[in-house]
Amino acid sequence: ESLSSLQPDATAYTEFAQGRSTYDAYIASLRAQLTRQGGGWVTVAPRDTCQQGNDSESAAISHLSRLNAEVWAAKAGCVGYETGGAQYQAGMIRGFDPAAILTL
């Protein structure tokens, strides 16, 4: 089995983001995971890897590198991925609800 044939496991957030579950169910699942693990961590690797790869000579490996971060970080207990930190602040500056941006 190779990395290119793997897909990240669906999470409770995946279900929420795709409209198949509630926000409350996502939060309950996240709290349960944090309780089981004794804490959690978040990574910017998928976003940064893709962004950096597309901005340099590494563009050919950016998809595989992002996939590597998504597949293996989840297995190591990662509870989330930063997909873009500035969108929330920019939304607030422009008068949008940052929580609404989460669903985009």
Side-chain angles (χ1 to χ4, degrees):
E1 185 172 29
S2 69
L3 179 62
S4 62
S5 67
L6 296 176
Q7 290 297 314
D9 294 331
T11 65
Y13 181 79
T14 306
E15 298 295 314
F16 162 66
Q18 294 177 348
R20 296 191 306 253
S21 184
T22 65
Y23 181 76
D24 290 337
Y26 157 60
I27 293 299
S29 174
L30 178 59
R31 286 183 175 153
Q33 180 180 359
L34 292 172
T35 298
R36 282 191 311 275
Q37 292 178 184
W41 59 283
V42 176
T43 182
V44 298
R47 190 243 6 227
D48 284 2
T49 299
C50 187
Q51 184 178 19
Q52 291 166 359
N54 290 335
D55 291 344
S56 69
E57 303 83 40
S58 305
I61 64 165
S62 66
H63 172 73
L64 192 58
S65 184
R66 178 191 54 77
L67 185 60
N68 183 53
E70 289 177 347
V71 169
W72 297 109
K75 293 181 186 314
C78 181
V79 296
Y81 306 97
E82 181 186 332
T83 57
Q87 286 93 330
Y88 309 110
Q89 294 90 335
M92 286 177 60
I93 290 168
R94 292 171 179 82
F96 292 100
D97 176 4
I101 295 169
L102 230 138
T103 63
L104 299 177

